[in-house]
Amino acid sequence: MLIGFWSSAALSQTFTLAEEDFFLGTTDPVEVDWTFVTGGDITGFQVTITYDSDALTPDLDRCLEGASLDNQGCVLVQPGLIGLTFFRGQGLPNLSGTISFEVAGTVDEGDVFPLSLTQTDGVPEGITLTLENGSISVLGAPPAIAAISPLSWTASGVIDGTPPTQTFSVTNAAESGQTPPAANLQIQSIEIAGSTAFSLAGGGTCATTTSLAAGESCTVVVSLSTAAIGNFSAELLVGHSAGDNLIAALEGTIRDTDAELVIDPATFDFGELDIDAAPVCAAFEVSNTPGDDSLTVGTASVTGAPFSVTANTCNDATLAGGASCAVTVCFDPTEAEASSDSLTVTSNVNTATAALSGTGTAEPVIAITPPFGPVNLGTGLQGTTLTAQGSVVNTGSADGTVQCDLVENGEAARGDFIPASVFSTTLPLNQEITVPAGADPIPFSVSCALPADAEDGDVFTAQIQCDVNGEGVSDDTIHFLSCGVSEFEPLPVPTMQTWALILFALLMLLVGGISIRMFRV
């Protein structure tokens, strides 16, 4: 028998079940949150939740988590029906809880299981209890991602010698540790298509029954037979549950000599290099594998710019087993772009290659004179103008930009002057200036017009803040300007005293008399 409840206020209340997702491949229960939002002082109510008992099994341990009422209950009435009861004499507060459901393994992607609410008792006439149903939707797990490494194998050997082998790694490259976890990768087939000189060898861990969780790998080992001389090609094919076959290309050569030309390193990345910078070079060792037979090198070459062979001791060289020669390749880009090529060395036995790559870059290098930092325009008399000359130049390989602003941050010592009337510059302000690479410097000047009514000792400051190449303003791109007033007293002009003038006159008379006598003689 259900208990009746009442409310003293005709206000709306809401009871809500959340909509949750369940992901195939997971085993954790789905936690469905519920909330009750009171609209007044309703004292109690009862509701039921109807669910699909074939697909869902409830766990009610946390159903009333956080609730502390005079009378409360969260019970399994029967399979497929949960009952909730809430009562508190002084009125119900806002409430919340969680009902966990275990999901049967028979559900399919796309299934949706409603959680339907029904009011059974407890809300008197005039009181509105709004019920918002929930649900559990079944979603597929993130897919497995199949990958194989390496993607190719080039093998070589000597007739009747030890067969060369290569280990390939097959991986479920889906992200591990994600929620929900990615689907497992099922290995379905492993075979070699093409020349029968290639075969599956023992020691691999992959099998047609292997299941790889996200991040896990297994191995496949392939060998090349040395029973016959020749060139052979085939493909390693790995069938799996995540799509088309994984394919690794197989190439092999069996020779009648144990000589073989190899290049070390087999790949080289010159990295990034400015198009105005000096070339970057790398040395490659070209050698004959250790053995009884020698070989004769033909030529070493690259296709062309921006790569070039600048030193070479290999052309026409005869290399005994284990002997080597050297080739130097330089990278000198003229365009801001990625480049690739191959160093190719020929011989009477085989041709060896090394993969080359590099990226040309072009960067502006902006220099401003005077350098950023303190710039003291000096001191002067009231009403005079102090001026400093400057310039902007780009010594880099790409056009750059400068955008500056004059920021007045100082005041006269007396506080009577407006700094904006003091400083000025011919540098365009609040607009982006393009500074061409390699062009002549762009001149500018900065001036300080000292006010006519300034006083001795007044100091003015300001800043020219610049954004260079769009990288923003920082302390390293600011001119801190300053100038000041200094009243200079006239320097005293030396004058003769009265006694000195008399002495000077007598001296002149004496000199004159002597001169007259000399002319008479």
Side-chain angles (χ1 to χ4, degrees), residues 20-30 109 137-145 172 174-184 213-215:
E20 304 290 353
D21 295 326
F22 173 78
F23 293 91
L24 290 176
T26 60
T27 57
D28 293 336
V30 178
E109 182 178 353
S137 300
V138 180
L139 305 178
I145 301 174
N172 182 351
E175 181 181 352
S176 60
Q178 62 179 317
T179 302
N184 284 3

Side-chain angles (χ1 to χ4, degrees), residues 306-385:
F307 301 95
S308 62
V309 174
T310 59
N312 179 10
T313 63
C314 292
N315 283 4
D316 301 324
T318 298
L319 301 179
S324 64
C325 56
V327 176
T328 299
V329 176
C330 293
F331 176 56
D332 188 13
T334 58
E335 300 291 337
E337 60 184 13
S339 300
S340 61
D341 201 343
S342 294
L343 169 62
T344 301
V345 183
T346 62
S347 76
N348 64 327
V349 173
N350 67 301
T351 297
T353 61
L356 309 174
S357 61
T359 302
T361 61
E363 299 292 339
V365 179
I366 302 295
I368 296 182
T369 303
F372 290 116
V375 178
N376 187 350
L377 277 68
T379 59
L381 293 173
Q382 299 92 330
T384 61
T385 298

